[in-house]
């Protein structure tokens, strides 16, 4: 009997696992991948993709309104939630099939089963009870919504997972959380015509983002009718006939038709048998790995959200690819987690890369800030009262652009391209040499001339 049944067993067919399995197979490895739910993982099934489809749906509301100012006359548009969800589900099924086909074409054996480690050498497939002895194990099991503290009525609360499958669009929804997922769903439900209350325990939404950006987004969301309550938490949810009475920490109450919590996501490590295999964890519940995604057990690697490093799809994919190249391609590759551009598909949209103003002031001796807020041209005839926001953070000593923060239409598309310049260590002077593309919103980035403020750290005596 061969010592190993396969060269690689991947636990989880999400963004990272699928990429790692395919590339490892292309390098000639015998690969098996186990998936307990649906192929594609969080991103495809109940994350980025369905979320963005709902974001698109919600944005039509503004388009219909704005069209009037541009000479169009429209019948009162009618929205059908069930139709949107059915169409979204069809698209997700198509993508799931495409992922499955990709794996099969690469020669990867896909097993629809939960996989758990019995010990460091043995993985058990629970659907069949089969035991597999792989040469290498890759844990790519992702993360799941943290349900929240055990408050009365928690059983009535949904997470983002259920939000994608609601039977009906609620008239009123309360969302607890201040993360990108909470903010995005607030925008989706608001755009689709729901009354949205966002409750967040911290000082302001989007903790960890640039303070000016947070304040700008906060006021723009309120301008669009989202009620934002900061500094409070939900302490109980009571079912009152068909509605819910949500009690907040200050003893006020909000009556709604749905309650959703988006309070963070925890790595999927429970019940995987990792402890018995000797795998160690980080203080933030992720699997501890080195820059090559190797765990404390040399033949067990971990990538993506289960490591709780940078929890984004492109990062999981990059880590999966790097793992396969390192272990099976003879090309040791560490993933660079610095300056990862990212977006929040809120309304309006957010795109960021690099340091916030606060981080730059903490780390750099001299910091120059350039920023502007303006009404995008498209809003003029639309008569919409909304403003975009651009901010550049520049290292005052090297002139390098170390951060860029955008709020406004297409911010995500813009930050993808700004990311190239930032990774290439573009200076503010480089940006200034670029001719504007007129009339666009993005031209504001290359025409920022006046420093809004400069900080100098005094040298210690
Ligand atoms: C609502 C939402 C919106 C998001 N939006 C974005 C976005 O716009 N952009 C972005 O970059 N990222 C976004 N993300 C994050 C992104 O989805 C994740 O970072 C990404 O999916 C992580 O990939 P992964 O491979 O680590 O894990 P996952 O994609 O979660 O895949 C893990 C897979 O492992 C399976 N699994 C778990 N345990 C086992 C087991 N024991 N046996 C077998 N299978 C198992 C799971 O069923 C799952 O399919 C979003 C996430 C959410 C929830």
């Amino acid at each position: 009997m061969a010592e190993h049944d396969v060269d690689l067993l991947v636990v989880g067919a999400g963004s990272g696992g699928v990429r790692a399995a395919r590339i490892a197979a292309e390098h000639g490895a015998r690969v098996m991948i186990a998936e307990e739910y649906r192929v594609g993982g969080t991103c495809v099934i109940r994350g980025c993709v369905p979320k963005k489809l709902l974001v698109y749906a919600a944005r039509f509301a503004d388009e219909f309104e704005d069209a009037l100012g541009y000479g169009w006359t429209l019948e009162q548009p009618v929205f059908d939630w069930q139709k949107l969800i059915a169409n979204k589900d069809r698209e997700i099924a198509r993508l799931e099939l495409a992922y499955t086909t990709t794996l099969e074409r690469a020669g990867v054996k896909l097993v629809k089963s939960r996989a758990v480690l019995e010990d460091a050498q043995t993985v058990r497939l629970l659907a069949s009870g089969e035991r597999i002895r792989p040469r290498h194990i890759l844990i790519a099991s992702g993360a799941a919504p943290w349900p929240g503290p055990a408050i009365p009525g928690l059983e009535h609360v949904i997470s983002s997972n259920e939000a994608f499958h609601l039977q009906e669009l609620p008239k009123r929804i309360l969302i607890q959380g201040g993360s990108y997922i909470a903010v995005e769903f607030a925008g989706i439900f608001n755009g689709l015509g729901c009354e949205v209350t966002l409750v967040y325990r911290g000082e302001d939404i989007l903790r960890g983002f640039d303070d000016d950006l947070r304040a700008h987004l906060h006021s723009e969301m309120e301008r669009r009718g989202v009620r934002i309550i900061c500094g409070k938490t939900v302490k109980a949810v009571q079912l009152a006939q068909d509605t819910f009475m949500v009690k907040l920490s200050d003893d006020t109450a909000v009556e709604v038709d749905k309650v959703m919590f988006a309070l963070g996501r925890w790595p999927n490590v429970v019940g995987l048998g990792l402890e018995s295999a000797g795998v160690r964890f980080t203080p933030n519940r992720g699997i501890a790995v080195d820059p090559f995604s190797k765990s404390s057990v040399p033949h067990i690697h971990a990538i993506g959200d289960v490591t709780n490093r940078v929890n984004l799809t492109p990062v999981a994919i990059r880590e999966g690819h790097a793992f396969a190249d390192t272990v099976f391609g003879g090309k040791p590759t560490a993933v660079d987690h610095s300056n990862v551009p990212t977006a929040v598909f809120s309304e309006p949209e957010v795109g960021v890369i690099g340091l916030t103003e606060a981080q730059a002031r903490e780390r750099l001796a001299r910091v120059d800030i350039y920023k502007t807020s303006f009404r995008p041209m498209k809003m003029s005839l639309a008569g919409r009262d909304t403003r975009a926001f651009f901010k550049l953070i520049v290292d005052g000593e090297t002139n390098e652009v170390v951060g860029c923060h955008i709020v406004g239409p297409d911010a995500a598309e813009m930050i993808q391209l700004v990311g190239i310049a930032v990774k290439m260590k573009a200076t503010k002077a480089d940006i200034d040499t670029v001719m504007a593309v007129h009339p666009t919103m993005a031209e504001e980035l290359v025409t920022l001339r006046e420093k809004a403020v400069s900080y100098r750290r005094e040298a210690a005596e």
Side-chain angles (χ1 to χ4, degrees):
M1 197 176 91
E3 195 190 346
H4 297 110
D5 302 310
V6 289
D7 296 318
L8 172 65
L9 190 140
V10 182
V11 179
S15 307
V18 167
R19 174 60 69 93
R22 175 169 72 80
I23 302 301
E26 284 173 11
H27 285 312
R30 294 169 303 150
V31 183
M32 179 182 279
I33 188 166
E35 171 53 55
E36 67 175 346
Y37 182 53
R38 293 179 64 182
V39 177
T42 303
C43 175
V44 175
I45 308 296
R46 45 196 183 186
C48 336
V49 175
K51 184 265 311 274
K52 189 80 187 277
L53 295 174
L54 299 198
V55 167
Y56 283 134
R59 286 184 179 164
F60 279 103
D62 280 5
E63 294 290 321
F64 292 135
E65 265 180 40
D66 294 352
L68 301 181
Y70 284 89
W72 291 90
T73 304
L74 301 169
E75 300 280 316
Q76 183 62 30
V78 178
F79 173 68
D80 184 338
W81 170 260
Q82 281 86 7
K83 188 169 179 183
L84 169 65
I85 296 302
N87 289 349
K88 179 263 295 175
D89 286 344
R90 199 167 338 105
E91 174 60 7
I92 300 307
R94 186 188 69 78
L95 289 173
E96 184 180 8
L97 185 63
Y99 272 73
T100 306
T101 310
T102 301
L103 286 171
E104 285 167 359
R105 282 212 186 114
V108 174
K109 184 166 172 19
L110 170 64
V111 184
K112 296 299 282 293
S113 171
R114 180 168 174 78
V116 296
L117 274 66
E118 282 198 340
D119 53 49
Q121 270 70 42
T122 321
V123 179
R124 199 145 95 93
L125 302 172
L126 297 192
S128 62
E130 197 182 348
R131 286 183 172 79
I132 308 290
R133 290 178 66 81
R135 192 151 66 90
H136 292 274
I137 299 170
L138 178 67
I139 308 294
S141 53
W146 177 56
I151 54 159
L154 188 63
E155 68 276 14
H156 303 305
V157 175
I158 62 163
S159 72
S160 58
N161 284 353
E162 293 76 39
F164 289 119
H165 298 285
L166 293 177
Q167 300 286 315
E168 282 177 17
L169 183 65
K171 286 201 177 63
R172 299 161 301 176
I173 186 164
L174 182 143
I175 301 173
Q176 183 174 215
S179 66
Y180 79 94
I181 294 177
V183 164
E184 289 175 341
F185 274 94
I188 289 167
F189 285 118
N190 177 250
L192 296 178
C194 311
E195 220 176 85
V196 180
T197 305
L198 188 65
V199 176
Y200 177 53
R201 72 174 175 170
E203 229 170 80
D204 207 348
I205 54 172
L206 290 188
R207 186 163 63 95
F209 284 70
D210 184 85
D211 287 339
D212 280 339
L213 177 146
R214 297 165 78 191
H216 188 89
L217 182 68
H218 186 134
S219 71
E220 284 294 327
M221 287 177 69
E222 284 186 331
R223 207 199 289 266
R224 309 178 71 81
V226 177
R227 183 178 168 214
I228 303 179
I229 302 174
C230 289
K232 298 193 178 114
T233 55
V234 172
K235 69 174 193 184
V237 179
Q238 286 163 357
L239 181 62
Q241 294 203 322
D242 291 342
T243 65
F244 296 106
M245 202 53 92
V246 183
K247 277 192 116 182
L248 303 186
S249 43
D250 63 350
D251 284 328
T252 55
V254 187
E255 190 184 6
V256 291
D257 307 296
K258 249 325 147 216
V259 187
M260 172 178 165
F261 285 2
L263 300 174
R265 292 172 60 78
W266 280 6
N268 281 329
V269 292
V270 176
L272 274 180
L274 295 167
E275 295 85 350
S276 58
V279 171
R280 283 204 286 274
F281 299 94
T282 58
N284 69 356
R285 298 164 194 275
I287 295 179
V289 289
D290 73 5
F292 298 94
S293 296
K294 182 160 64 174
S295 80
S296 46
V297 181
H299 68 281
I300 301 180
H301 288 69
I303 52 155
D305 285 9
V306 76
T307 61
N308 222 347
R309 288 178 280 183
V310 180
N311 298 332
L312 293 169
T313 288
V315 178
I317 291 173
R318 193 62 78 85
E319 289 168 359
H321 203 125
F323 155 79
D325 283 347
T326 301
V327 175
F328 297 102
K331 199 169 70 174
T333 310
V335 172
D336 175 8
H337 290 98
S338 68
N339 281 331
V340 174
T342 186
V344 180
F345 295 97
S346 46
E347 197 50 54
E349 202 164 281
V350 165
V352 304
I353 184 165
L355 301 182
T356 64
E357 180 175 330
Q359 288 167 338
R361 288 182 63 184
E362 216 177 272
R363 295 179 202 179
L364 306 174
R366 295 171 61 175
V367 180
D368 297 330
I369 306 291
Y370 297 82
K371 58 184 172 184
T372 180
S373 164
F374 59 96
R375 193 177 185 215
M377 186 178 174
K378 188 182 170 197
M379 305 307 162
S380 57
L381 296 196
R384 183 173 293 283
D385 186 18
T386 181
R387 297 184 77 75
F389 171 78
F390 283 60
K391 181 170 180 178
L392 286 181
I393 318 279
V394 177
D395 182 329
E397 287 196 326
T398 61
N399 199 236
E400 202 180 299
V401 177
V402 291
C404 177
H405 308 269
I406 304 175
V407 184
D410 299 322
E413 305 289 341
M414 284 187 263
I415 209 69
Q416 180 69 83
L417 302 179
V418 173
I420 300 171
V422 171
K423 285 299 269 188
M424 292 178 75
K425 301 193 175 300
T427 61
K428 177 68 171 63
D430 292 327
I431 303 245
D432 291 343
T433 64
V434 180
M435 202 67 85
V437 178
H438 184 72
T440 62
M441 260 183 59
E443 67 180 305
E444 296 289 335
L445 270 175
V446 298
T447 53
L448 280 168
R449 292 283 180 263
E450 300 292 319
K451 282 179 205 162
V453 58
S454 282
Y455 299 101
R456 303 268 178 283
R457 195 182 295 154
E458 296 305 324
E461 291 294 312

